[in-house]
Amino acid sequence: MEILSALIDGIYQALQPINLGLCIIGVVVGLFVGAMPGLGSVNGVAILLPFTFVIQELTGSATSPMIFLAAIYYGAMYGGAISSITLGIPGASTAVATTFDGRPLALKGKAERALVTAAIASFIGATVANIFFTAFAPPLASVALKFGNPEIFALMLLAFSTFIGLGGDDIPKTIISIALGLVLATVGFDIITGEPRLQFGDPLDFFPATESWIDTTGFSHGIRFLVLAIGVYGIGEMIWTINSTRGNVTMTEANVNFSSVWAAIKAFPRAFKGTFVGSFLGFFVGILPAAGATPGSLMAYGVTKMMSKDKDSYGKGNVNGIAAPEAANNSASTGAMLPMMTLGIPGSPTTAVLLAGMVIWGLQPGPLLFSEQPDFVWPLIGSFYVSNLVAVLVNLAFIPVFLWMLRMPFTILAPMIFVLSVIGTYAAYQNMFDVWLMLLFGIGAYLMRILDYPLAPAVLAIVLGPIAEPTLRQSLLLSDGDFSIFFNRPIAGPITVIALILLFLPLITLIFGKLRGSKPATS
Amino acid sequence: MRVAELVMAVVLALFSCYLMWKSGEGPSWDPSIARFDNIGFDETGAPGAGFWPFWLSLAMLLSCFWIMVNWVRRTSPPSQSDQPYMDGYSWKMMLLVGGGLFAFLGVIEWLGFYAGIFLFLVYYLRFLGKHSWLQTLLIAVLTPVFCFFFFDVAMRIVLPKGLSEPLFLPLYDIFL
């Protein structure tokens, strides 16, 4: 009952004109970035985060900027389907599975049916996830209040292990990405001893002659996560998209008017099974760090297809094949917020950026947020419901506008994103050193991405590094350098063991696979 | 792609070694602390300042060796691929877009943000995007104008103007 009244109060706060306005703007921006190939929720949130400082200054609270970014996150989940269906190119990786059936249905001349199915399934998925979030977040936060440094570090270990064990990317490359992000987070000064660390001094550190080559004093303030995030998602991703699309984008026209939308809404119950599977599966996959909306939507698609009696119709325009991934990616995006808000561990790169934003706005994400900052938490949760409703209405009402916007040539969009990335980085820290660094990270990210280096773990690591290192060192200080502290505490112990199992999961799978493979030979 | 996989692993391995070397550096105010003294535990059992970055860099280095082993055994997709790391189009776009961005930042340092945005947009829209002069100039002029009013005037975030600063003085008098 207490939760319900807090929620109603939160929704009321979220409906205040300034918050509602930010919600609507955020959803529209999110729909746009989600729909544009090459941009996704993480790009939108990372590039626009510097601009939220103004919102905080104007409103005097951290709630409004967070509502704005959460609305972008929501909108982007809806928007991804638009380009998947009409262009055949997923607006974001989270909408890849939507392409499987959305594009064939559009090619059959039923683009509006695909778009409406995606919008309604997204709405139902997000609503189910919001209810779960409201129910689970406060009790989880109260359990997490008992967490000390060893427990928090164990959770960090779990987050990184999940990337290695379940991320599905090349393992050594994932480890490099995580380690690189964590090491970059240590640049600057050690917060425990105050010693300067990895400030690079002269570029080669061997020859005094190189001292004046590059001014590296900028490293003294550390490498800010936003510099890496905008570099990776603003510059690297755009160059990647320029090369991967090569300008070959053909758009399917959709006949969108009131009667076609209404007919599609009436036909929606046929997509119920996919929506149901996606809504529930998406939420629980979204909670897992490293999983998030992309694997959530792919799994939901696979499970719905597996459960179907008519498997052959999938990939040819089955509405359940659209509803399942769309419900799942929206549900997972809310699911990813759960560990971020209650434990301070982001479940996806976008929530990592949101978490870093919260730190910048002066909040400490984690269990204390619920007890110490209810004025922040409940309006934000309320805004999830409001954003969801706004997103589905805006999506259905403005489908023709988004289709028109999608016709914007990429050769106009790309330079605008580059300009926004450069200005955004400068505006955040007001120094050109960070802008140059952002560009270098962007180029480096592109060069690494060609070779399948996953970059999301690096962004997550640079955000979590400043939490992981002090908690590890303080835990070891507590135990006189004895690592058993992570195993013999009632909460930290099981988490550490699960983290280690996940860490070695690929090795265990390999050994089991070999054993199973050798059995027929020996029998 | 196969050669690039190895080159990238070697570059990252060298970078890991450099990070390990730098992590072991003691504070400049206390020369009595030898290099690598800070990567273990001190007498109180507390890990030193270099502990975390050093061992993570070592993990990076070992992962680079792992990639090299995979390369020799041809078990990772890039190590099996006979596709080029970047084809002609990719190299061209990389140089034109990446080079354009470096030049963009260079112009910002020299002539300031607004002149930089204008020149970069003209370069990208007209020469890479092949848009008409009218469309190019419209976007290239309106974008910095909008940015000026949004950042300098509304948000009071003064973007650097470089050599073009005197041109903005009358605007400051009117709007700030």
Side-chain angles (χ1 to χ4, degrees):
Chain A
M1 205 60 198
E2 197 183 320
I3 290 175
L4 201 63
S5 68
L7 176 66
I8 292 166
D9 190 47
I11 292 175
Y12 175 74
Q13 293 296 327
L15 285 170
Q16 293 300 306
I18 180 78
N19 291 336
L20 184 63
L22 287 168
C23 230
I24 294 169
I25 297 169
V27 162
V28 172
V29 171
L31 279 164
F32 180 71
V33 296
M36 282 292 168
L39 290 177
S41 61
V42 66
N43 310 75
V45 169
I47 294 168
L48 292 174
L49 180 58
F51 303 94
T52 59
F53 305 141
V54 186
I55 300 173
Q56 190 190 17
E57 227 174 85
L58 288 174
T59 59
S61 100
T63 313
S64 301
M66 187 66 186
I67 285 175
F68 177 64
L69 291 185
I72 294 177
Y73 191 21
Y74 259 97
M77 288 299 147
Y78 277 82
I82 300 174
S83 48
S84 288
I85 291 164
T86 57
L87 300 175
I89 297 171
S93 63
T94 51
V96 168
T98 313
T99 320
F100 302 160
D101 278 281
R103 181 65 172 165
L105 194 61
L107 290 172
K108 285 180 187 169
K110 293 179 181 170
E112 73 287 350
R113 177 138 187 232
L115 290 166
V116 170
T117 303
I120 299 175
S122 296
F123 175 74
I124 295 172
T127 306
V128 169
N130 282 338
I131 294 166
F132 280 160
F133 186 96
T134 313
F136 290 147
L140 190 61
S142 59
V143 171
L145 272 174
K146 298 188 180 84
F147 286 15
N149 284 321
E151 285 75 22
I152 295 171
F153 180 74
L155 279 172
M156 300 287 148
L157 192 65
L158 181 66
F160 295 125
S161 305
T162 322
F163 262 104
I164 296 167
L166 302 177
D169 293 304
D170 187 285
I171 296 166
K173 289 175 182 174
T174 308
I175 297 173
I176 289 175
S177 186
I178 293 170
L180 190 61
L182 289 172
V183 173
L184 290 179
T186 66
V187 171
F189 287 92
D190 175 21
I191 52 165
I192 293 179
T193 63
E195 289 176 29
R197 281 195 306 192
L198 295 170
Q199 292 190 7
F200 301 111
D202 67 82
L204 297 176
D205 202 33
F206 299 122
F207 310 107
T210 62
E211 193 90 47
S212 57
W213 283 7
I214 306 168
D215 179 16
T216 54
T217 48
F219 283 118
S220 61
H221 60 233
I223 294 175
R224 278 91 170 228
F225 94 95
L226 205 54
V227 173
L228 182 72
I230 296 183
V232 169
Y233 293 111
I235 305 291
E237 285 275 327
M238 290 309 283
I239 299 178
W240 171 265
T241 310
I242 288 167
N243 277 324
S244 54
T245 61
R246 303 194 171 208
N248 297 325
V249 179
T250 48
M251 182 153 164
T252 305
E253 292 298 330
N255 175 28
V256 183
N257 53 46
F258 182 77
S259 58
S260 66
V261 169
W262 181 242
I265 290 172
K266 280 202 293 188
F268 179 77
R270 285 183 200 167
F272 181 74
K273 190 196 277 178
T275 310
F276 180 82
V277 172
S279 303
F280 285 86
L281 192 64
F283 182 78
F284 292 103
V285 175
I287 293 173
L288 298 173
T294 306
S297 60
L298 288 164
M299 278 171 72
Y301 181 86
V303 171
T304 310
K305 185 179 172 183
M306 196 177 70
M307 287 165 60
S308 171
K309 288 175 190 157
D310 185 19
K311 293 185 181 65
D312 287 345
S313 65
Y314 282 79
K316 294 171 188 162
N318 189 318
V319 283
N320 281 298
I322 302 167
E326 278 307 303
N329 65 28
N330 276 59
S331 186
S333 61
T334 306
M337 294 271 215
L338 187 72
M340 190 269 278
M341 296 270 289
T342 55
L343 306 173
I345 297 171
S348 67
T350 314
T351 47
V353 178
L354 291 175
L355 181 131
M358 284 164 73
V359 174
I360 294 172
W361 303 320
L363 296 162
Q364 181 57 54
L368 286 173
L369 205 62
F370 277 79
S371 51
E372 290 182 358
Q373 303 278 349
D375 294 346
F376 169 79
V377 170
W378 287 105
L380 177 63
I381 296 175
S383 83
F384 294 168
Y385 289 84
V386 176
S387 294
N388 189 28
L389 188 65
V390 169
V392 73
L393 294 177
V394 170
N395 197 347
L396 289 174
F398 292 96
I399 283 174
V401 178
F402 290 113
L403 293 177
W404 173 77
M405 285 166 101
L406 276 177
R407 291 192 194 99
M408 180 197 278
F410 203 69
T411 44
I412 293 180
L413 180 72
M416 299 308 267
I417 297 296
F418 290 138
V419 167
L420 208 58
S421 298
V422 168
I423 297 189
T425 311
Y426 183 85
Y429 306 116
Q430 303 192 18
N431 97 51
M432 279 303 287
F433 180 84
D434 283 336
V435 183
W436 283 103
L437 207 56
M438 181 275 297
L439 180 57
L440 287 176
F441 282 144
I443 304 284
Y446 168 67
L447 296 176
M448 289 173 81
R449 199 180 156 177
I450 301 174
L451 295 169
D452 298 337
Y453 281 80
L455 298 165
V459 175
L460 210 69
I462 202 167
V463 172
L464 294 183
I467 308 168
E469 189 197 357
T471 51
L472 169 73
R473 288 170 66 186
Q474 280 161 7
S475 302
L476 290 172
L477 191 63
L478 205 70
S479 67
D480 293 330
D482 187 356
F483 281 91
S484 67
I485 190 168
F486 298 111
F487 294 94
N488 56 22
R489 288 167 68 110
I491 298 176
I495 300 173
T496 309
V497 170
I498 294 169
L500 291 178
I501 290 172
L502 282 173
L503 196 63
F504 293 106
L505 188 66
L507 192 68
I508 296 166
T509 317
L510 189 77
I511 292 168
F512 270 93
K514 291 225 165 168
L515 286 175
R516 211 175 286 166
S518 64
K519 262 184 189 170
T522 52
S523 59
Chain B
M1 194 79 91
R2 189 169 150 73
V3 177
E5 173 86 335
L6 184 66
V7 171
M8 183 66 84
V10 170
V11 168
L12 286 171
L14 291 173
F15 186 55
S16 310
C17 293
Y18 176 66
L19 288 174
M20 286 162 71
W21 172 257
K22 286 296 288 182
S23 303
E25 217 168 44
S28 55
W29 60 80
D30 192 352
S32 67
I33 298 178
R35 190 176 282 269
F36 299 121
D37 261 5
N38 62 349
I39 61 162
F41 297 88
D42 63 15
E43 61 281 358
T44 64
F51 175 83
W52 179 252
F54 178 85
W55 295 103
L56 284 167
S57 305
L58 183 66
M60 258 176 79
L61 182 65
L62 295 176
S63 300
C64 291
F65 290 140
W66 188 350
I67 292 171
M68 290 175 204
V69 171
N70 286 345
W71 184 85
V72 173
R73 296 175 62 212
R74 292 178 182 259
T75 49
S76 64
S79 67
Q80 298 162 352
S81 170
D82 51 5
Q83 298 287 314
Y85 176 59
M86 287 203 274
D87 58 13
Y89 179 87
S90 302
W91 275 114
K92 190 178 145 199
M93 290 317 289
M94 179 69 197
L95 290 173
L96 290 174
V97 176
L101 283 166
F102 274 100
F104 177 28
L105 296 198
V107 173
I108 287 175
E109 296 269 17
W110 178 42
L111 290 175
F113 256 90
Y114 299 114
I117 293 170
F118 173 78
L119 292 173
F120 176 72
L121 288 176
V122 167
Y123 162 75
Y124 205 109
L125 295 170
R126 180 65 199 163
F127 298 104
L128 297 187
K130 313 276 183 222
H131 293 281
S132 67
W133 271 112
L134 181 69
Q135 201 174 23
T136 301
L137 289 174
L138 206 65
I139 297 171
V141 170
L142 288 180
T143 306
V145 168
F146 172 79
C147 289
F148 175 78
F149 283 103
F150 186 75
F151 287 99
D152 282 54
V153 178
M155 288 169 60
R156 302 287 161 138
I157 294 175
V158 179
L159 301 180
K161 310 287 185 304
L163 289 178
S164 62
E165 180 88 41
L167 297 172
F168 287 85
L169 296 177
L171 293 173
Y172 290 156
D173 291 338
I174 300 168
F175 297 108
L176 294 177

